[in-house]
Amino acid sequence: MRWKRRTGRSISGLLIAGMVSVGLLPVAANAAEPTDLARGKTVTASGSHGGYPAANANDGKVDSYWESNGHPADLTVKLGADADIQSVVLKLNPDPVWATRTQDIQVLGRKQDATVFSSLRARAGYVFNPGSNRNTVTIPVTGRVADLQLKFFSNTEAPGAQVAEIQVLGTAAPNPDLTVSALSWSPASPSETDDITVGGTVRNAGSAASPATTVNVSLGGVVVGSAPVGPLAAGASAPISVKAGKRAQGSYPVSALVDPTDTVVESDNTNNSRTTDSPLVVGQSPGPDLQVRSISSTPANPAVGAAVTFTVAVHNRGTSAVSAGTVTRLTVGSTTLNGTTPAIAAGATANVTVGGSWTAASGGATLTATADATNLVAETSETNNTFARSIVVGRGAAVPYTELEAEKANYQGTLLQSDAERTFGHTNFATESSGRESVRLNSTGQYVEFTSTAPANSIVVRNSIPDAPGGGGREATISLYADGQFVRKLDLSSKHSWLYGNTDSPEGLTNTPGGDARRLFDESHALLTQTYPVGTKFRLQRDASDNASFYVIDLIDLEQVAAPSSQPSGCVSITTYGAVANDGLDDTAAIQRAVTANQNGEIDCVWIPAGQWRQEQKILTDDPLDRGQWNQVGIRDVTIRGAGMWHSQLYTLTPPHEAGGINHPHEGNFGFDIDENTQISDIAIFGSGTIRGGDGNHEGGVALNGRFGKDTKISNVWIEHANVGVWAGRDFDNIQALWNPGDGVEFTGMRIRNTYADGINFANGTRNSTVYNSSFRNTGDDALAVWSSKYVKDQSVDIGHDNSFRNNTIQLPWRANGIAIYGGYGNKIENNLISDTMNYPAIMLATDHDPLPFSGQTLIANNGLYRTGGAFWNEDQEFGAITLFPQNLPIPGVTIRDTDIVDSTYDGIQFKTGGGLMPDVKIQNVRIDKSNNGSGILAMGGARGNATLTDVTITDSRDGHVLIEPGSQFTVSGTPNGARAKR
């Protein structure tokens, strides 16, 4: 019988009877009693097979195990510091269903100051027998090591090495042990105007001298200063003193951490920090203190050229009033506006109308408001007077790149154009192209040449090249020229494209070639070595060395990328924790250490410098309660900043289903699991997914997932090749004690591309949250969604409500909707541009997926929808650009206004057959032009409800203005403007 991958009888404690013993070691009479030095320590492996990760070899259970993905294989235990070892104990499950096997093993070790491993025990065969030794082998080993490694060469009963538990028996070697004590501060009861000094004592409680290091002092979890600590003999102590400066009113836990970067090798690394029992309390100083709370604009969503006025909310958090006459100043672009602030009592807020107006210009701008701009008032704090937020004028995101279409460029190749019904899923390149057109290069010398309209030093190419014959993708190059001069080869890949199958279920698609194909395009990006001016002719040319059998070019993005940002003050780089840029090695452990240090208040924030950083495990929080196989505890109170999404890039090479040891297979082996109060900005997260569930549930992982909680803000993050970009929310029964739905979560400046499912999904009661000024392309499900699911703590309270999707650009969802709302109330879809959906609406309100009911109002306003809708589900269901689908529950309170619906594949607005009502739909100031294969407005035969049209214009629709199918109980009042289609 070969090995069995199933739970057997558990055993506990050290198994002695029947152990194999190889040689004997003399032990001194006064030697310390050996202990298991591997318990709780990190175990890594050269590779793992399926769901049998290295962590299983050290989880205290013999019914789980590590299995390598072949031979030879390494299993390494990191003891943390030098230890004198006496033996290594290896266990397999003692259940008799495990056949006797022999594993060929060598034992190696590495001291704490060494870089290479040395052999401690020569390669030999060890017999694991559930009968004679209960599948337990003891290997006597003598040596002083900090890392112990087993090298496996063969296993008579399995294709890989197998270890259920590893124990390393020995005693700790002499090492220092740094501790902190006697923390105090002066003055003992400070106010906001006092400079605070924190003092304490660092002691070396170890058995060897310690080298010089530092100590960090934190107030309220934020590092406020550090002090040097000189060399200390064993048992010696030294005083420390750190100036913490002035602090705002509040209560601050005080902590100190010695050796914060973990450069001193210690016998115990768990006792380096100390937190005081009582917090430092800072009292409020007498006097006024002005701060800006918010900026509002009128109109809130201005059109280009509109005169915009502003109101600034100024709050006095001080203890005394502020007289009238201070200046509140607002700047936007080159415009500066001033307002006169009235008297504000202590604790009160005044709304200041700023004089004059700003003429709204297309794109994005930053509003910055400053209270007491001329410094007339002596305030308790002069550092909190300024507040900034962004504003976007017009529809869509204010993206920093210029998008140029191949079909509108100069080209020598074949123009591809979609059929009238934009048929999807049948290896149709044109249907999957932006604008439903692209250019194919079949032979050497063919090209597409774009003329730039803005300076650029980077390029993104949306393209398709063939799959490998057996699937899995292939790589090829294409040649980039600028004004006729060769620039570089661009690397293209089809690894993440080409899904096959006739099913409409994404989980039924496969990476194995055969039959129809879809998801034909992917993207390649490159930073260039110089900036090219306006008018540069960028040519993508198929040269002789560019050897794909064909190239399809859809579009390019040209962008002027800023230089990498500098490391912010107070942030600590992941390189301090051992990460190395661009070396191809896994940096997960270093990133996790940095994030944990930030979460524990040891550092102010985490800095990810410019570079490529490999990440092969999800960043999360260790679960101290060990609530099952998968760790699903996210990070909280963490700030992560990068040098820019083009510069600070996390990537994984391992598809999630091959990773092993991930926190949950659905959520993948990359990105971050977030539980609350987390800020992440200016980085990229590139996954390695290739499929959504097909071929054995091989999902592509989620870049940002978790409960999200309050005060989480994500900005300027580029996500690509994930199953889902962001999934906000967990089911209530997923660790009920940690239930914490997203509330006030904000996403801005996101760039989400080429996913296999959703872009961003607000699920599980997410409320009051926003996605703003972000772009999405080629998502494999809803680009944006609110799913007010029932898997919540209290269905009467935990409803998806008051979420907003504003000023986003959504292109080419290859499955499902541009934006979808499933249940809830108060949700808004405003100022978005949505184009080229493959098979579903641009916007859908629906009660499928069993949501909590709709109630209140759902607003769809000022959106531009171009070439949207399509046919799906065996091509029997034809969806409109905007579709309401009350499958079982009603959809009340819908307003659709100020929207352009142009060139729809089927109907402009569609009321679909379902079991629920759609009462009192208001359609106001809407233009519907060119519904190619349908009506301007369609009510299906099973639709029930009513709509009122006000200032609605419908032109050039194949089946006319308004079509109410026979049997429908839906009525439409109001007459649209426009001429009936003549076809």
Side-chain angles (χ1 to χ4, degrees):
M1 175 183 293
R2 291 175 64 81
W3 77 103
K4 299 290 184 179
R5 291 179 179 153
R6 68 184 187 189
T7 301
R9 296 191 300 272
S10 64
I11 59 175
S12 62
L14 182 61
L15 298 176
I16 303 296
M19 285 186 179
V20 173
S21 180
V22 184
L24 295 173
L25 288 173
V27 179
N30 61 351
E33 186 70 22
T35 59
D36 179 14
L37 303 170
R39 182 181 296 274
K41 301 298 174 58
T42 300
V43 180
T44 62
S46 56
S48 300
H49 172 70
Y52 306 92
N56 287 357
N58 193 27
D59 61 1
K61 307 170 187 175
V62 293
D63 54 7
S64 67
Y65 61 98
W66 164 70
E67 181 173 324
S68 71
N69 53 0
H71 288 103
D74 297 338
L75 185 71
T76 303
V77 182
K78 298 182 180 296
L79 304 179
D82 277 349
D84 296 319
I85 61 172
Q86 298 180 17
S87 62
V88 179
V89 179
L90 303 179
K91 301 179 183 181
L92 292 177
N93 194 325
D95 194 308
V97 299
W98 279 65
T100 299
R101 70 204 61 221
T102 299
Q103 299 199 66
D104 210 16
I105 306 170
Q106 179 187 12
V107 184
L108 304 97
R110 178 173 61 190
K111 290 185 177 182
Q112 62 193 32
D113 58 355
T115 58
V116 297
F117 284 90
S118 301
S119 180
L120 301 177
R121 194 84 184 183
R123 172 178 174 178
Y126 298 94
V127 178
F128 294 79
N129 187 322
S132 65
N133 63 18
R134 298 202 69 194
N135 261 351
T136 299
V137 166
T138 299
I139 306 173
V141 178
T142 301
R144 176 171 289 184
V145 300
D147 298 325
L148 183 129
Q149 184 177 89
L150 302 180
K151 188 176 289 291
F152 295 81
F153 298 92
S154 64
N155 183 344
T156 58
E157 291 295 321
Q162 295 169 314
V163 174
E165 283 298 302
I166 180 170
Q167 296 175 332
V168 179
L169 302 183
T171 58
N175 265 306
D177 182 18
L178 297 173
T179 63
V180 180
S181 62
L183 289 178
S184 62
W185 52 87
S186 63
S189 300
S191 72
E192 293 175 295
T193 55
D194 291 324
D195 287 311
I196 301 167
T197 300
V198 177
T201 301
V202 171
R203 180 174 183 265
N204 178 7
S207 54
S210 64
T213 182
T214 59
V215 62
N216 283 352
V217 169
S218 297
L219 299 184
V222 176
V223 175
V224 294
S226 62
V229 178
L232 292 174
S237 299
I240 59 166
S241 178
V242 173
K243 295 184 182 300
K246 297 178 176 65
R247 299 288 113 184
Q249 178 189 15
S251 178
Y252 300 87
V254 179
S255 61
L257 172 68
V258 64
D259 190 30
T261 58
D262 199 22
T263 55
V264 178
V265 179
E266 303 179 59
S267 57
D268 185 356
N269 263 324
T270 66
N271 61 355
N272 286 25
S273 65
R274 172 79 62 179
T275 301
T276 57
D277 294 332
S278 300
L280 162 65
V281 177
V282 178
Q284 185 173 10
S285 294
D289 186 13
L290 296 175
Q291 58 183 182
V292 176
R293 287 281 183 85
S294 65
I295 306 170
S296 58
S297 60
T298 303
N301 300 306
V304 175
V308 185
T309 58
F310 302 95
T311 301
V312 178
V314 179
H315 177 69
N316 179 7
R317 66 170 293 274
T319 61
S320 59
V322 175
S323 300
T326 64
V327 174
T328 297
R329 178 168 294 158
L330 183 138
T331 61
V332 50
S334 59
T335 301
T336 299
L337 306 174
N338 293 313
T340 301
T341 312
I344 308 177
T349 301
N351 290 319
V352 181
T353 300
V354 179
S357 64
W358 169 64
T359 302
S362 179
T366 299
L367 308 175
T368 302
T370 304
D372 189 28
T374 57
N375 295 315
L376 291 179
V377 180
E379 301 179 63
T380 299
S381 173
E382 299 285 357
T383 63
N384 60 355
N385 288 24
T386 299
F387 174 85
R389 76 169 179 85
S390 61
I391 186 170
V392 177
V393 177
R395 293 172 178 163
V399 295
Y401 52 83
T402 301
E403 187 173 291
L404 302 173
E405 297 279 353
E407 67 272 17
K408 296 179 181 179
N410 181 29
Y411 63 85
Q412 188 178 95
T414 303
L415 178 65
L416 305 179
Q417 296 177 299
S418 63
D419 60 285
E421 295 186 343
R422 297 164 179 163
T423 307
F424 170 73
H426 301 285
T427 323
N428 192 323
F429 293 96
T431 292
E432 295 194 33
S433 298
S434 174
R436 311 294 182 159
E437 295 181 328
S438 53
V439 175
R440 179 171 173 139
L441 310 180
N442 287 315
S443 58
T444 300
Q446 291 188 327
Y447 61 85
V448 183
E449 188 173 77
F450 307 84
T451 302
S452 69
T453 58
N457 63 357
S458 72
I459 187 169
V460 174
V461 181
R462 187 168 194 265
N463 70 92
S464 181
I465 62 172
D467 196 2
R474 57 157 297 174
E475 280 69 46
T477 59
I478 195 166
S479 300
L480 174 65
Y481 292 81
D483 291 332
Q485 298 297 311
F486 177 77
V487 175
R488 57 169 292 174
K489 294 284 190 181
L490 298 179
D491 296 319
L492 312 183
S493 175
S494 54
K495 175 182 178 181
H496 301 284
S497 49
W498 293 92
L499 296 180
Y500 302 90
N502 297 320
T503 176
D504 288 323
S505 170
E507 287 78 9
L509 299 175
T510 176
N511 289 137
T512 302
D516 290 330
R518 67 196 76 188
R519 201 188 187 284
L520 304 172
F521 286 86
D522 200 51
E523 296 180 16
S524 175
H525 60 269
L527 270 174
L528 307 178
T529 58
Q530 69 180 78
T531 294
Y532 293 88
V534 173
T536 299
K537 296 184 181 299
F538 288 101
R539 175 178 290 196
L540 297 174
Q541 181 168 291
R542 179 176 178 171
D543 288 347
S545 56
D546 302 323
N547 58 9
S549 60
F550 65 81
Y551 298 79
V552 179
I553 307 299
D554 182 23
L555 58 82
I556 66 170
D557 295 334
L558 295 175
E559 180 177 354
Q560 182 62 32
V561 178
S565 300
S566 300
Q567 181 173 342
S569 175
C571 288
V572 178
S573 173
I574 59 174
T575 59
T576 302
Y577 294 87
V580 179
N582 310 315
D583 66 349
L585 301 179
D586 189 3
D587 296 302
T588 301
I591 299 169
Q592 182 68 68
R593 284 194 294 270
V595 169
T596 300
N598 185 200
Q599 184 164 300
N600 292 341
E602 298 162 13
I603 62 175
D604 192 5
C605 73
V606 176
W607 171 247
I608 301 180
Q612 303 285 321
W613 310 92
R614 185 175 175 187
Q615 180 197 355
E616 296 291 0
Q617 295 291 305
K618 181 83 72 176
I619 302 301
L620 34 68
T621 297
D622 284 339
D623 184 357
L625 300 182
D626 190 22
R627 281 169 280 217
Q629 181 178 8
W630 310 114
N631 181 357
Q632 296 186 39
V633 182
I635 61 178
R636 59 176 56 227
D637 305 320
V638 169
T639 298
I640 300 167
R641 300 180 66 178
M645 64 169 62
W646 275 91
H647 300 295
S648 300
Q649 300 188 336
L650 306 178
Y651 72 97
T652 174
L653 297 179
T654 309
H657 63 275
E658 296 178 4
I662 58 179
N663 69 320
H664 193 282
H666 175 73
E667 291 162 356
N669 57 318
F670 61 97
F672 299 86
D673 191 319
I674 298 170
D675 269 6
E676 179 153 291
N677 187 29
T678 293
Q679 287 77 48
I680 301 176
S681 60
D682 300 298
I683 65 170
I685 303 172
F686 295 148
S688 59
T690 61
I691 198 168
R692 176 183 171 179
D695 292 343
N697 202 31
H698 293 174
E699 295 189 71
V702 184
L704 300 174
N705 61 274
R707 298 170 182 85
F708 279 79
K710 293 185 178 180
D711 301 318
T712 291
K713 295 177 173 57
I714 314 294
S715 61
N716 304 324
V717 175
W718 184 349
I719 296 172
E720 198 154 351
H721 299 146
N723 197 48
V724 174
V726 178
W727 190 276
R730 287 196 192 275
D731 297 352
F732 173 60
D733 62 7
N734 184 287
I735 314 181
Q736 294 184 4
L738 297 181
W739 169 252
N740 193 27
D743 190 348
V745 180
E746 295 179 9
F747 293 91
T748 60
M750 303 295 289
R751 189 178 301 190
I752 296 181
R753 303 279 188 270
N754 305 308
T755 64
Y756 299 90
D758 303 67
I760 298 177
N761 193 309
F762 286 163
N764 301 93
T766 300
R767 74 286 308 261
N768 306 311
S769 296
T770 303
V771 180
Y772 172 68
N773 196 30
S774 298
S775 63
F776 303 78
R777 194 155 63 207
N778 205 34
T779 57
D781 214 309
D782 302 327
L784 291 169
V786 173
W787 180 28
S788 188
S789 63
K790 293 180 177 178
Y791 312 120
V792 295
K793 181 178 181 179
D794 185 344
Q795 293 185 6
S796 67
V797 173
D798 297 317
I799 300 168
H801 69 83
D802 293 299
N803 299 295
S804 178
F805 300 137
R806 292 187 296 113
N807 286 100
N808 302 292
T809 296
I810 296 169
Q811 301 168 279
L812 295 152
W814 65 268
R815 186 183 186 276
N817 308 281
I819 300 177
I821 307 290
Y822 305 101
Y825 65 86
N827 297 299
K828 298 178 180 179
I829 303 171
E830 299 179 280
N831 309 343
N832 303 283
L833 287 176
I834 307 175
S835 60
D836 298 308
T837 58
M838 296 297 104
N839 43 48
Y840 254 50
I843 298 172
M844 176 181 263
L845 310 183
T847 60
D848 56 345
H849 306 301
D850 193 28
L852 295 171
F854 279 90
S855 62
Q857 185 189 63
T858 302
L859 176 64
I860 303 172
N862 197 34
N863 300 286
L865 316 179
Y866 300 91
R867 300 175 302 277
T868 59
F872 208 49
W873 302 116
N874 198 36
E875 299 174 13
D876 292 330
Q877 294 193 36
E878 298 169 352
F879 292 96
I882 297 177
T883 296
L884 274 60
F885 178 31
Q887 186 181 44
N888 294 301
L889 300 171
I891 304 180
V894 176
T895 296
I896 304 170
R897 61 174 173 80
D898 307 323
T899 290
D900 293 300
I901 304 173
V902 179
D903 199 7
S904 303
T905 304
Y906 290 97
D907 308 297
I909 299 175
Q910 183 185 88
F911 299 99
K912 197 170 176 63
T913 296
L917 283 170
M918 295 167 281
D920 301 320
V921 179
K922 296 178 175 59
I923 305 176
Q924 303 165 349
N925 190 30
V926 171
R927 177 175 71 97
I928 304 173
D929 178 54
K930 195 180 180 184
S931 298
N932 287 277
N933 303 290
S935 306
I937 297 174
L938 171 68
M940 289 187 171
R944 298 189 300 138
N946 65 288
T948 301
L949 311 185
T950 306
D951 294 327
V952 173
T953 301
I954 302 176
T955 55
D956 199 20
S957 297
R958 187 194 68 178
D959 298 335
H961 295 347
V962 178
L963 176 60
I964 300 176
E965 291 184 340
S968 176
Q969 299 178 49
F970 196 93
T971 61
V972 175
S973 59
T975 302
N977 304 313
R980 184 177 178 84
K982 297 179 181 179
R983 297 192 182 181

